[in-house]
Amino acid sequence: MPLKALALNCTLKSNAGEASSTDAMIAVLEQAFSQREVTITETVRVAALDIKAGVTSDEGSGDAWPALREKILAHDILIFGGPIWMGQISSVAKRVLERMDAFLEETDDQGRMPSYGKVAVAAIVGNEDGAHFSSAQLFQALNDVGWTIPAVAACYWVGEAMGSIDFKDLKKTPDKVTETAKMVAGNAAHLAGLLQATPYPG
């Protein structure tokens, strides 16, 4: 079956019409994934949604997480995108990870979490150090709640500390970013295809 990916943009900018460097990085990955016949069906601006605080899959009236959770789990690959803030992943990204904590209690009769057999990669941007630390935060948390992390799973760009040029402002995508995006997409698509054909036994 064709592979599908969903991108989460965990920028702090809640207005989906406002330009985001995370969107620009996701666009680089989208092109790379298209070469692997993987379709990114949508990029979700998480800050535009009312994702309640909590660690369950439904925190009650007005909670936008149940619908987003359903959308996430309907895809084979999750692109977890976001900016670096204070040297780490954004609070919006952390909110998503906290809500996925519920997966630990939502196992099937084989002990598999809903995320089993699904692949996650990262798209990180920032004007300060922290890309490696941010990806480490993401990958450890995502692996804890059942996601599979491929080799070379992070595509990132870090500009000059406190600089005024963002990734979205670059006239040309750096060659290393493009090369890395191809590796991320290739490895993720390969792994997702294997897991689709042969699920984890539990």
Side-chain angles (χ1 to χ4, degrees), residues 7-11 22 26 79-83 93 121-124 138:
L8 300 183
N9 181 345
C10 294
T11 177
T22 303
I26 289 171
I79 300 171
F80 206 123
V121 299
I124 297 170
L138 283 173

Side-chain angles (χ1 to χ4, degrees), residues 165-186:
I165 298 177
D166 295 329
F167 183 71
K168 62 181 172 56
D169 300 323
L170 298 179
K171 295 180 179 178
K172 181 182 181 297
T173 302
D175 291 341
K176 283 296 181 183
V177 173
T178 302
E179 291 170 12
T180 302
K182 289 179 180 178
M183 294 180 69
V184 170

Side-chain angles (χ1 to χ4, degrees), residues 117-199:
K118 298 181 184 299
V119 171
V121 299
I124 297 170
V125 292
N127 278 333
E128 57 182 301
D129 191 17
H132 284 182
F133 180 58
S134 293
S135 60
Q137 287 180 296
L138 283 173
F139 293 153
Q140 181 61 60
L142 288 167
N143 187 255
D144 282 347
V145 294
W147 294 89
T148 299
I149 313 300
V152 190
C155 193
Y156 70 87
W157 178 86
V158 177
E160 181 182 4
M162 306 299 287
S164 59
I165 298 177
D166 295 329
F167 183 71
K168 62 181 172 56
D169 300 323
L170 298 179
K171 295 180 179 178
K172 181 182 181 297
T173 302
D175 291 341
K176 283 296 181 183
V177 173
T178 302
E179 291 170 12
T180 302
K182 289 179 180 178
M183 294 180 69
V184 170
N187 292 348
H190 176 73
L191 186 54
L194 292 175
L195 290 170
Q196 187 184 77
T198 310

Side-chain angles (χ1 to χ4, degrees), residues 68-139:
L68 180 56
R69 175 188 180 278
E70 182 178 1
K71 191 176 291 187
I72 289 169
L73 294 177
H75 291 75
D76 307 290
I77 299 169
L78 176 66
I79 300 171
F80 206 123
I84 300 167
W85 283 107
M86 298 180 177
Q88 56 191 303
I89 60 174
S90 72
S91 59
V92 176
K94 290 179 181 180
R95 175 66 55 89
V96 171
L97 295 172
E98 289 162 355
R99 296 304 299 272
M100 287 185 183
D101 186 74
F103 290 176
L104 294 166
E105 305 297 328
E106 296 173 351
T107 56
D108 64 12
D109 56 4
Q110 300 296 317
R112 296 172 295 196
M113 288 178 267
S115 47
Y116 262 44
K118 298 181 184 299
V119 171
V121 299
I124 297 170
V125 292
N127 278 333
E128 57 182 301
D129 191 17
H132 284 182
F133 180 58
S134 293
S135 60
Q137 287 180 296
L138 283 173
F139 293 153

